[in-house]
Amino acid sequence: MNKLKFILSGGGTGGHIYPAIAIANELKFRFPDAEFLFVGAEDKMEMQKVPQAGYKIKGLWIAGLQRKFTLQNLMFPFKLMSSLWVSRKIIKAFQPNVVIGTGGFASGPLLQMANMLKIPTLIQEQNSYPGITNKLLSKKANTICVAYENLERFFPKDKIVFTGNPVRQDLLEIDSKRTEAIKHFNLDPNKKTLLVLGGSLGARRLNQLIEKEIYNLVSKDIQIIWQCGKLYYHDYSHFSDKGLAKVVAFIDRMDLVYAAADFIISRAGASSVSELCLVGKPVIFIPSPNVAEDHQTKNASAIVDKNGAILIKESELDSSFESIFSNLISNENLQKELSENIKKLAKPDATKDIVEQIVKLIK
């Protein structure tokens, strides 16, 4: 058998990049001699994160359409044509056995061209409400791996496989890492720890909430690890200097930060939700209302409906947060109930199951 070759594309946010890397790592484990190539958008974070994970990446000149009229939108047809042309050259030169897309701008033209060239394609859809790119690509894709039920509304039913989202394998066993985690983040082992996650770029409204509530939180004898995002680090790093929180732009050791946490406040991006199911800690989801089709609220609701987490809308934070959070940290029965229920929804074998589907497509 000739050496296997895989092209993967996923980017724009960590929620698209890390699933693609997790899939590549599992493929590499199964096929140590295989060759891998990632394709991303030229100016997005995948151009740094993918090489850090040890994979080659090529960039396309592509960006999404803005919701309002901008000069960028006028450029979109040219960027799309350029990306289709470059994707064709990449595929022809690399000769992949399968092309895998996990979402993001670059996956559209790449998978479209792979379909045109009759290369098998697999889409991994993280969200409970798919974006327009994956809806379009699904018509020609061979297999669509999903993380939520009832996606037949959007995708051809016979192509859907319910696998869950790929997650970092180092999260499968975090309980044993608590002592290491407390040391790593220089925490007080006798205090409860609140972890605030705003995503890789940060979340303005979450940051504003913690800024407003920080003295109240500290008065409850709680220590805070606050991942504010690189866009906001300059605005909030002074809270570290004051000793009120450990403010970080980005967290590299997610396994340790989850091991250290007793309570978590998080956005509801698909990858975060899947990770938090594995982690099994009490969670308050504050979904971003600024994403397509409000899919973060739908992601969180799928957990909340099974009594696995608490959801607070951004518009209700000022009126509801204090009472909801106070009740959570004082009610051990509620903490236990949320932890047990969210853990039931975990899909620890998602990455392996997705790779099984990719293996079926190899030709």
Side-chain angles (χ1 to χ4, degrees):
M1 190 181 189
N2 291 335
K3 188 182 280 191
L4 292 173
K5 296 183 177 185
F6 302 99
I7 296 184
L8 300 98
S9 181
T13 67
H16 293 312
I17 299 165
Y18 293 116
I21 292 171
I23 292 167
N25 289 344
E26 179 65 21
L27 282 165
K28 194 175 187 180
F29 176 75
R30 297 223 196 162
F31 307 107
D33 296 332
E35 286 185 38
F36 296 87
L37 178 64
F38 278 69
V39 175
E42 274 178 355
D43 56 347
K44 296 294 180 181
M45 64 188 284
E46 57 263 31
M47 302 309 289
Q48 285 82 46
K49 298 296 177 190
V50 168
Q52 283 171 12
Y55 294 102
K56 293 177 185 171
I57 186 166
K58 290 184 180 289
L60 302 179
W61 183 49
I62 189 70
L65 282 164
Q66 306 299 308
R67 291 185 192 181
K68 54 184 186 292
F69 180 79
T70 65
L71 193 60
Q72 262 191 320
N73 280 355
L74 291 176
M75 296 298 291
F76 180 77
F78 302 101
K79 289 184 176 183
L80 182 60
M81 293 308 294
S82 162
S83 295
L84 285 165
W85 172 248
V86 174
S87 294
R88 181 184 171 86
K89 281 171 60 179
I90 289 170
I91 292 168
K92 286 277 194 185
F94 193 74
Q95 296 284 305
N97 296 87
V98 184
V99 176
I100 301 134
T102 61
F105 303 137
S107 66
L110 180 79
L111 268 75
Q112 174 70 13
M113 190 50 69
N115 289 332
M116 289 169 73
L117 294 170
K118 301 289 187 278
I119 308 285
T121 61
L122 178 140
I123 296 169
Q124 195 271 316
E125 173 55 62
Q126 294 106 35
N127 287 295
S128 56
Y129 199 101
I132 191 164
T133 304
N134 277 355
K135 284 186 206 168
L136 292 171
L137 290 170
S138 69
K139 293 176 176 61
K140 296 280 176 65
N142 296 75
T143 307
I144 305 155
C145 293
V146 302
Y148 291 89
E149 291 164 336
N150 306 316
L151 264 67
E152 297 84 5
R153 295 175 293 156
F154 310 108
F155 298 140
K157 188 177 180 179
D158 59 331
K159 297 180 180 183
I160 294 174
V161 184
F162 180 53
T163 56
N165 278 325
V167 288
R168 305 161 214 251
Q169 294 305 289
D170 58 2
L171 301 184
L172 294 176
E173 177 36 59
I174 60 164
D175 292 345
S176 62
K177 299 179 183 178
R178 188 167 173 89
T179 304
E180 183 191 352
I182 284 167
K183 189 176 175 186
H184 180 85
F185 290 102
N186 195 22
L187 297 168
D188 181 342
N190 300 311
K191 285 187 176 183
K192 296 281 190 182
T193 301
L194 168 65
L195 170 62
V196 182
L197 296 172
S200 47
L201 300 176
R204 180 189 293 160
R205 188 66 186 88
L206 254 67
N207 289 335
Q208 290 170 343
L209 172 74
I210 302 305
E211 180 180 34
K212 175 177 171 251
E213 296 286 343
I214 198 159
Y215 289 100
N216 178 36
L217 294 169
V218 171
S219 73
K220 298 181 192 299
D221 209 27
I222 283 174
Q223 54 198 343
I224 304 164
I225 301 175
W226 178 2
Q227 186 260 317
C228 64
K230 65 177 184 179
L231 297 178
Y232 302 100
Y233 182 70
H234 180 71
D235 298 332
Y236 298 106
S237 58
H238 64 278
F239 286 106
S240 282
D241 303 334
K242 292 178 181 176
L244 292 166
K246 297 190 184 300
V247 182
V248 292
F250 192 80
I251 299 167
D252 286 318
R253 289 296 305 271
M254 290 304 295
D255 58 330
L256 293 186
V257 84
Y258 283 136
D262 295 287
F263 314 102
I264 299 168
I265 294 172
S266 177
R267 283 301 202 200
S271 291
S272 298
V273 173
S274 296
E275 287 186 358
L276 290 166
C277 289
L278 264 189
V279 167
K281 302 280 175 90
V283 181
I284 295 176
F285 286 120
I286 304 173
S288 169
N290 308 314
V291 292
E293 311 294 349
D294 197 22
H295 67 244
Q296 284 205 6
T297 299
K298 295 180 175 79
N299 293 346
S301 296
I303 309 300
V304 175
D305 290 348
K306 295 191 167 94
N307 203 21
I310 295 165
L311 189 156
I312 310 177
K313 292 181 181 177
E314 274 197 2
S315 58
E316 295 168 359
L317 281 174
D318 290 336
S319 59
S320 302
F321 177 79
E322 277 189 38
S323 60
I324 289 173
F325 187 74
S326 294
N327 180 50
L328 175 62
I329 62 171
S330 62
N331 187 336
E332 289 190 8
N333 287 337
L334 175 60
Q335 294 167 26
K336 188 165 178 281
E337 189 181 348
L338 293 175
S339 293
E340 288 173 355
N341 288 339
I342 196 170
K343 203 142 197 175
K344 286 175 191 167
L345 303 174
K347 289 270 181 190
D349 296 324
T351 315
K352 290 176 184 168
D353 292 344
I354 291 163
V355 167
E356 283 295 333
Q357 296 301 318
I358 294 167
V359 171
K360 289 179 184 176
L361 297 179
I362 292 171
K363 66 172 191 181

